């Protein structure tokens, strides 16, 4: 077999919503298609990948560095031992040739997008859902989970959005079948944010059904002020209080907040994830880790991160990836993670799961189709075919 074509294109995300740090009106997303000469149902197998929201598309890097390396490679550099399928590990090595260590965020999105497309193609060539392929190859003797815990991430700051609109949004998520919801904090004053939190608690009932996300906005003093104000609510978690690379802040905050915290979506490599575990004071009995493969070199790197966590005494069930995409959903099911983020009405058409998959009491199943399952999401598939 061989790769016959690799195409990439950037699309606008084009969304007016805002968190504590950025608005998404100028955000872009890279989409990659890896086409092979393997035929299934009479058509060449094509794998698709895209990057998660929160980081811009990486078209320049893909065109200048990573795709040319794959195009110049020999079949032996890209294929598995049988020669009949792609080898994601070899492809990762090929893309990372001539790259220095460190500086991960500069390129981890570009590599992650290609990695997603490669795994999609690998599973399609094997004619299996990716989650089952992952469980077989890397999940020990445990089959893939049949359903995955999901929560609805929303509660963004929109221009002119008041408390009633926020409550309506959250009520909508519960109506869709979600049990837990997440909202942004740190984009308003503490007083205003507490009013927003209480408005959402009126809808979801208990604090255990609500997470809050500061998107790395706070200094230690502000993070602690929020921690003290949040503690009485008993929230499910307090997410990304300070700068994602300020491990000292995270560790200091843990001394002021005994309840669960979450972070990791802006750490893009094994080394950064390991530093969080070494120095961030994260507690394996209650905290949550949110590394997102689509932003951090893809699944090849993610497998190394999961192995590191195992060695450090963390259960894979404490990992609930950021991003709300089907790749992480497959990883969550196949590698027995704790769940997956979900964006029911934002970041479309990338966010969300197959069209016919329903959320039932906060869990989703996975479609029975080969690959990641993007073909089962009509609006996304329509866009992928234009790449
Ligand atoms: Mg977040």
């Amino acid at each position: 077999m061989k790769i016959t074509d690799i195409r990439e294109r950037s699309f606008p995300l084009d969304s007016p919503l805002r968190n504590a740090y950025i608005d998404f009106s100028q955000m872009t997303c890279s989409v990659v298609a890896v086409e092979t000469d393997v035929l299934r149902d009479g058509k060449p197998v094509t794998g698709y990948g895209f990057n998660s929201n929160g980081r811009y598309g990486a078209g320049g890097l893909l065109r200048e560095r990573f795709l040319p390396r794959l195009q110049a490679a020999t079949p032996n550099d890209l294929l598995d031992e049988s020669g009949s399928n792609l080898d994601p590990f070899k492809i990762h090595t090929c893309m990372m040739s001539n790259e220095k260590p460190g500086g991960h965020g500069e390129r981890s999105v570009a590599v992650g997008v290609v990695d997603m497309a490669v795994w999609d193609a690998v599973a399609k060539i094997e004619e299996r859902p990716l989650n089952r392929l992952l469980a077989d190859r890397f999940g020990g003797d445990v089959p893939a989970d049949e359903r995955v815990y999901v929560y609805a991430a929303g509660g963004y700051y929109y221009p002119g959005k008041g408390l009633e609109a926020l409550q309506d949004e959250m009520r909508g998520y519960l109506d869709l079948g979600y049990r837990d919801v997440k909202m942004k904090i740190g984009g308003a004053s503490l007083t205003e944010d507490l009013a927003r939190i209480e408005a959402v608690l009126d809808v979801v009932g208990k604090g255990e059904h609500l997470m809050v996300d500061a998107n790395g906005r706070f200094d230690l003093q502000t993070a602690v002020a929020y921690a003290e104000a949040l503690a009485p609510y008993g929230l499910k978690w307090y997410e990304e209080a300070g700068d994602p690379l300020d491990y000292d802040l995270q560790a200091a905050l843990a001394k002021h907040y005994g309840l669960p915290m979450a972070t990791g979506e802006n750490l893009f490599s094994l080394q950064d994830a390991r530093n969080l575990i070494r120095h961030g004071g994260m507690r394996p009995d209650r905290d949550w880790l949110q590394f997102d493969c689509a932003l951090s070199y893809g699944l090849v790197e993610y497998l190394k991160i999961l192995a590191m966590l195992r060695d450090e005494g963390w259960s894979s069930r404490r990992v609930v990836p950021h991003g709300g995409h089907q790749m992480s959903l497959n990883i969550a099911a196949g590698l027995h993670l704790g769940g997956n983020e979900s964006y029911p009405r934002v970041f479309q058409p990338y966010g969300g799961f197959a069209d016919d998959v329903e959320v039932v009491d906060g869990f989703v199943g996975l479609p029975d189709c080969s690959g990641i399952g993007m073909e089962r999401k009509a609006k996304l598939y329509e866009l992928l075919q234009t790449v």
Side-chain angles (χ1 to χ4, degrees), residues 132-144 303 310 334-336:
R132 287 187 213 156
L133 179 145
L134 295 180
D136 278 0
R137 288 197 190 180
F138 312 109
D141 288 329
V142 185
L303 287 162
R310 210 165 35 239
L335 301 181
H336 317 116

Side-chain angles (χ1 to χ4, degrees), residues 267-304:
L267 301 181
F268 297 148
S269 65
L270 166 66
Q271 292 81 2
D272 289 338
R274 193 171 55 203
N275 277 335
L276 175 69
I277 298 304
R278 281 177 176 166
H279 308 296
M282 298 296 281
R283 304 154 298 187
D285 63 341
R286 77 198 80 164
D287 290 332
W288 302 92
L289 303 168
Q290 302 175 300
F291 317 118
D292 178 349
C293 68
L295 300 177
S296 54
Y297 292 120
L299 176 55
V300 169
E301 185 86 357
Y302 216 79
L303 287 162
K304 293 182 206 163

Side-chain angles (χ1 to χ4, degrees), residues 47-94:
Y48 296 104
F50 57 84
N51 69 270
S52 269
N53 54 286
R55 296 285 149 181
Y56 293 88
L61 294 181
L62 287 163
R63 288 190 296 275
E64 287 168 17
R65 301 209 315 256
F66 297 104
L67 300 187
R69 284 178 195 148
L70 295 180
Q71 282 147 354
T74 65
N76 195 37
D77 294 331
L78 309 177
L79 303 184
D80 67 10
E81 276 180 12
S82 72
S84 59
N85 206 335
L86 300 171
D87 184 328
F89 298 89
K90 284 189 179 175
I91 289 174
H92 178 95
T93 302
C94 175

Side-chain angles (χ1 to χ4, degrees), residues 182 213 239 265:
K182 189 166 83 184
D213 183 1
E239 177 172 328
E265 69 179 70

